[in-house]
Amino acid sequence: MNARALSLALLGLAAIAAGLFATDGGRGVARPDQAAAALAAGLPNGVTITPAGTEVDSSQVHFGLLPQELALSPSGRWLATSEPGNDTKTVSLIDVAANRVVQNLDLKRPSFAGIVFKDDDTLFVSGGTYNGLYVLKRGASGFAISDPPIPTGYFPAQLALDPSRKYLYVANDMSNNLTVIDADRRAVIGTEPAGDHPYGVLATADHLYVSNWGGATVNEYMVAGGGAVVAPSGRTAKVGEHPSALALDAAAGRLYVADGNSDAVSVVDTGTMQEISRIRVAPVLGPKPTSPLSAAPGALVLSGSYLFAADGGNNSLAVVDTRRVQRPDSALLGYIPAGWYPSALRVVGNRLYYANAKGNGPTASSAGGTGVLFQGRGTPPLGTVWSLPVSQAIAQIRGYSAAVAANNRWHTLPGTLSAAGTPLQHIKHVVYVLRENKTFDEEFSDIPGGNGQQCQTKGQTATWHPDTRTYTCPDGKPPLLVYGRQVTPNNHALAQKYALLNDFDVDVETSIIGHQWAHASQLSDFAQRTYGNTEGWTSQEPGFAPQNGVFDIAYPAGGYLFDAVMKSGHTARDYSGGFDAADVSARPSNLQKLVDNTDFLVPIGVDSGLYPDTLRVREFERDVAANGLADFSYIWLPDDHTVGGLPGNLTPQSQVATNDIATGQLVDFLSHRPEWKDTAVFVIEDDPQSGSDHVSGYRSIFMVASPWAKRGYVSGQHYDMSGLLRTMELVFDVPPMSENDLTIAPMTELFTETPDYSGFTWLTPEVPPTLNPPDGPFAAASRAMDFRRIDSAQGLDALLARMALGDHGVG
């Protein structure tokens, strides 16, 4: 048992001893196998999850991806979840009495968070980029799409029915307005303006409240005509950043607002529409006001005098005593441990239900793990739903809170406070290289001494065939090793000359959010919830991905490293051709600084494959030779994403080899410059989605090159993107951007006080540059894919698997 597994096992025993899975009021206890699985769930960033209560049985019918809302039918018989994650958009139906999922309906079209029951047999579901609502009717075989879709504005988010259930209100996130629908006739009867990216909507008999996710406001509307007439009241409450979910205590005249980017819940007096209190629902880790924000509260529910908030970023539920809202420092009672990114809440009778957008943690098949070879597009784990009695949640709050603190490392802040006294103090220049989509086994499993597995059968060695440029395994199964030493000699040489990390994880499943985490050590709640719905956005707003900083709403609470480095007085230079420039600092106040510090001679490229990474590095070399090396340089090398069998482009093996050459040439160039004496180069992938790995679907490759890096070092320590970001923060003396990098150890063990200034010489792969033929067996499938936007080539991973295995020859 390795150290990581041992620590998780010990934490599991401690959690059981603390009574986290105690009897829950007559509904039984969590099954032993559930408890063991949950207590052993370590996430890529090194934190642990131990969801409390009883899991809804999904052993026969599973949930979908990224559940985001829980809707309760009027009779209380059914709970339904909206699941708009990645390619498959689904709705799941839970039989409450049986505590099990009875249906998972594939909508076969876009969807988003909004879901509400008209009656026990009718569901309204947000169509997301479809820009409408689906009407689902229940028949003998379950729910199915029935009536024609109801048109709305762009990208409908949450939905609400008035108390009479005759009128339906829709917050249209991308068109900044509100649609009023006659729910009986399925007809639009009005449209009203809203604020910036409206998301949450809550209706009473005479008022309507809409949160503006992209701003810091909640709009009030007056309702008349039994709910048919809606008009802005002219009153707007100022609240925290990125308000989303809403909860109303009508008797007390209080509206509760989840402030996703402020780690808080705003309390609004509905009589005056003024914020009267703001309750922080995340711990203060470090001095105020610099304690990082990353809890991302995104769902709320009231039960008596208690308010529950789903802190997605902390994998917990915050519990607030609403009797203490006038004393916000004492209103937070504690936390309940949840699954991976709790995203929705609902109280049914005396039970609190919570949905976990990313389930109970990584599974064998999630993000391309060994359970499914080349699973495709970085699929996250399936969602889960758990519940526990409200009374248990309150009675055990102290033990639960201790578990949440332990899970999130709140009491052990291992991060070095400064670079002083460590080898990092010698580093003055950092070159940060971000590449695309590879796992450890896919590329590094042939390195001696590494924890790699070349074939699916343990101990078997993959054989390289130069004629077809493929690997095969004795067991006849597809190999885990796909781009080994013959294809990537420079990567192998760097990993063996400096440090080989056997347990480095990337934190996300796909590039859309991988680029954001790689720069911010977190995701905004907006990015986490919307990344499966990005392909249709180009026609609605500038930009094409939720992590793109052109969308101010996507900006995470702690900002981006590029921006932090510039604010600290250091120089920074972006070599992504503007693609990631928007990621790192494109707020209006930073726009001129961004333009001044971006090399726009590097084209964006995305997945086109038409501009090889070697030319990107050549431009980097030209710019550095002309202008000097910035303190912080960011360069994107996307060729190892590949474009499949697209005719006229390099084959996947050749594209990965080109990416490898570019990486080697970059280090070669830097290692022969005067700045090399105090430079460190870090190279990672943005996600693991193109291949499989026997340890974790999130385990990926990491390379470091520096005179101050240890030579021939092999590390079994668990690291992730956050640990790397923490290391770079220390070099530039900038504060952590999130709790993830605050609570994780930096990578100081990879460095030494005894420098070695020797250079690096790039190597030539055994794979020659080869173009895909115009009529090859993969040409038609590749032409049908969209390589214009990153991660929009659906089915690419499965195609790459076929090409790598040579089932139809070289592509």
Side-chain angles (χ1 to χ4, degrees):
M1 178 180 291
N2 61 32
R4 188 181 184 189
L6 177 61
S7 64
L8 289 173
L10 291 174
L11 180 58
L13 291 173
I16 292 173
L20 294 186
F21 287 86
T23 301
D24 65 0
R27 289 292 299 273
V29 297
R31 298 193 307 267
D33 58 325
Q34 287 181 338
L39 291 168
L43 303 189
N45 64 343
V47 305
T48 307
I49 54 173
T50 58
T54 302
E55 185 175 3
V56 171
D57 185 0
S58 58
S59 59
Q60 299 301 313
V61 180
H62 61 74
F63 287 101
L65 300 172
L66 298 177
Q68 297 191 24
E69 293 291 331
L70 281 166
L72 180 66
S73 68
S75 71
R77 179 181 179 185
W78 309 110
L79 273 172
T81 62
S82 60
E83 301 154 347
N86 288 47
D87 295 334
T88 304
K89 319 296 183 182
T90 57
V91 168
S92 290
L93 190 69
I94 300 168
D95 183 319
V96 174
N99 196 45
R100 62 187 176 91
V101 186
V102 295
Q103 183 181 10
N104 178 253
L105 171 65
D106 185 353
L107 297 173
K108 302 185 184 302
R109 60 194 73 184
S111 69
F112 192 45
I115 185 168
V116 67
F117 279 94
K118 172 76 166 72
D119 50 55
D120 274 26
D121 299 320
T122 309
L123 265 172
F124 294 115
V125 179
S126 165
T129 53
Y130 192 85
N131 303 327
L133 301 185
Y134 309 128
V135 182
L136 275 58
K137 300 290 289 186
R138 190 167 67 91
S141 58
F143 278 92
I145 293 179
S146 174
D147 299 353
I150 306 170
T152 62
Y154 290 145
F155 205 64
Q158 286 194 346
L159 321 175
L161 282 163
D162 77 309
S164 71
R165 314 190 77 81
K166 293 181 179 179
Y167 298 99
L168 181 65
Y169 309 111
V170 185
N172 298 307
D173 185 76
M174 300 296 286
S175 55
N176 297 338
N177 59 11
L178 175 76
T179 300
V180 182
I181 295 170
D182 185 316
D184 292 325
R185 296 189 296 114
R186 318 284 198 260
V188 175
I189 57 176
T191 302
E192 295 294 334
D196 183 8
H197 289 273
Y199 177 81
V201 57
L202 190 153
T204 72
D206 50 11
H207 287 83
L208 192 68
Y209 303 98
V210 176
S211 64
N212 297 306
W213 208 6
T217 58
V218 175
N219 290 355
E220 179 191 56
Y221 299 81
M222 304 303 294
V223 177
V229 180
V230 175
S233 71
R235 301 196 305 177
T236 298
K238 301 292 185 181
V239 293
E241 291 291 328
H242 290 198
S244 55
L246 302 170
L248 179 67
D249 184 343
R254 292 174 183 161
L255 179 69
Y256 297 95
V257 186
D259 301 329
N261 263 22
S262 296
D263 284 8
V265 171
S266 289
V267 185
V268 175
D269 184 325
T270 57
T272 62
M273 282 303 288
Q274 298 290 316
E275 182 186 54
I276 59 173
S277 180
R278 186 176 299 180
I279 302 164
R280 184 173 173 121
V281 291
V284 177
L285 302 177
K288 291 183 179 180
T290 59
S291 180
L293 303 172
S294 55
L300 298 175
V301 71
L302 280 162
S303 179
S305 57
Y306 299 104
L307 175 75
F308 298 90
D311 285 352
N314 289 340
N315 309 309
S316 64
L317 312 180
V319 185
V320 173
D321 187 336
T322 61
R323 295 165 295 187
R324 304 180 186 178
V325 296
Q326 297 290 0
R327 294 173 288 147
D329 289 343
S330 65
L332 178 63
L333 297 182
Y335 305 92
I336 303 166
W340 195 357
Y341 208 90
S343 52
L345 299 169
R346 182 69 61 174
V347 171
V348 182
N350 69 337
R351 298 188 70 83
L352 170 66
Y353 285 80
Y354 61 93
N356 303 299
K358 300 176 77 171
N360 296 345
T363 64
S365 61
S366 63
T370 54
V372 179
L373 182 67
F374 292 91
Q375 179 168 330
R377 300 202 66 210
T379 303
L382 297 174
T384 58
V385 176
W386 291 64
S387 72
L388 73 164
V390 172
S391 58
Q392 178 182 328
I394 304 305
Q396 298 191 33
I397 193 64
R398 172 175 276 183
Y400 282 148
S401 298
V404 171
N407 290 349
N408 288 291
R409 306 177 298 227
W410 288 342
H411 298 321
T412 56
L413 306 182
T416 303
L417 295 180
S418 77
T422 76
L424 297 179
Q425 66 184 330
H426 304 294
I427 298 171
K428 308 302 178 186
H429 296 88
V430 168
V431 178
Y432 184 22
V433 182
L434 189 66
R435 310 189 316 176
E436 298 285 320
N437 313 141
K438 294 294 173 282
T439 67
F440 185 98
D441 278 343
E442 188 179 9
E443 192 158 321
F444 277 179
S445 58
D446 57 348
I447 296 181
N451 182 19
Q453 187 168 308
Q454 298 186 37
C455 300
Q456 294 192 45
T457 300
K458 188 175 182 180
Q460 290 193 355
T461 300
T463 301
W464 170 253
H465 301 279
D467 53 340
T468 60
R469 298 193 294 281
T470 59
Y471 289 91
T472 61
C473 285
D475 60 9
K477 298 177 182 178
L480 303 182
L481 177 67
V482 181
Y483 304 105
R485 185 181 306 277
Q486 291 85 354
V487 184
T488 56
N490 291 285
N491 292 350
H492 282 67
L494 288 169
Q496 290 183 276
K497 179 173 182 175
Y498 298 103
L500 175 67
L501 268 59
N502 278 319
D503 197 4
F504 179 86
D505 282 0
V506 292
D507 292 86
V508 294
E509 300 81 21
T510 182
S511 299
I512 291 293
I513 48 178
H515 284 251
Q516 177 146 345
W517 196 291
H519 289 294
S521 191
Q522 64 173 309
L523 302 176
S524 65
D525 187 58
F526 173 84
Q528 182 67 74
R529 289 177 182 268
T530 59
Y531 81 87
N533 283 279
T534 58
E535 293 174 23
W537 283 23
T538 45
S539 62
Q540 277 102 47
E541 287 198 355
F544 55 83
Q547 96 282 3
N548 194 323
V550 170
F551 292 94
D552 196 56
I553 184 176
Y555 206 89
Y560 299 99
L561 180 62
F562 194 94
D563 202 21
V565 169
M566 288 194 294
K567 288 178 179 178
S568 71
H570 294 87
T571 58
R573 189 76 166 148
D574 178 84
Y575 296 94
S576 70
F579 175 76
D580 275 346
D583 264 350
V584 294
S585 58
R587 281 192 161 185
S589 60
N590 296 331
L591 186 57
Q592 188 58 52
K593 189 182 294 184
L594 169 68
V595 171
D596 293 342
N597 291 285
T598 297
D599 183 354
F600 289 106
L601 293 181
V602 181
I604 293 178
V606 192
D607 289 351
S608 68
L610 298 177
Y611 190 86
D613 287 343
T614 48
L615 292 186
R616 295 174 186 276
V617 169
R618 184 174 298 178
E619 170 54 25
F620 170 79
E621 294 173 356
R622 183 208 64 78
D623 187 66
V624 170
N627 303 306
L629 182 65
D631 298 337
F632 178 63
S633 300
Y634 168 70
I635 182 168
W636 182 42
L637 300 179
D639 266 5
D640 61 340
H641 195 283
T642 85
V643 290
L646 195 65
N649 284 263
L650 290 173
T651 64
Q653 294 276 7
S654 296
Q655 250 189 301
V656 172
T658 301
N659 174 267
D660 175 78
I661 292 172
T663 304
Q665 289 177 337
L666 176 76
V667 178
D668 188 327
F669 168 75
L670 290 168
S671 70
H672 293 93
R673 284 190 59 83
E675 299 96 338
W676 182 242
K677 66 182 184 301
D678 55 20
T679 294
V681 181
F682 297 103
V683 184
I684 65 169
E685 308 291 308
D686 71 335
D687 69 66
Q689 65 174 294
S690 77
S692 299
D693 191 276
H694 82 283
V695 173
S696 166
Y698 293 86
R699 191 174 69 137
S700 187
I701 63 176
F702 170 92
M703 289 170 282
V704 60
S706 173
W708 301 97
K710 291 178 179 178
R711 295 301 192 270
Y713 186 70
V714 178
S715 172
Q717 174 69 35
H718 176 67
Y719 290 111
D720 76 321
M721 288 171 163
S722 299
L724 171 57
L725 287 167
R726 183 65 178 133
T727 305
M728 294 189 287
E729 290 165 351
L730 291 176
V731 169
F732 297 113
D733 194 26
V734 298
M737 296 174 288
S738 76
E739 290 180 11
N740 297 310
D741 45 332
L742 172 67
T743 60
I744 200 167
M747 308 173 91
T748 51
E749 69 152 324
L750 306 184
F751 296 89
T752 176
E753 288 286 358
T754 306
D756 179 344
Y757 298 108
S758 60
F760 179 84
T761 301
W762 71 274
L763 304 170
T764 301
E766 294 181 22
V767 176
T770 305
L771 298 180
N772 291 311
D775 56 353
F778 307 108
S782 300
R783 283 196 190 98
M785 295 179 182
D786 183 1
F787 292 104
R788 296 170 300 171
R789 299 192 299 273
I790 196 161
D791 282 347
S792 294
Q794 298 188 39
L796 175 62
D797 300 324
L799 180 68
L800 288 175
R802 292 172 53 208
M803 297 182 73
L805 298 174
D807 62 347
H808 290 289
V810 178

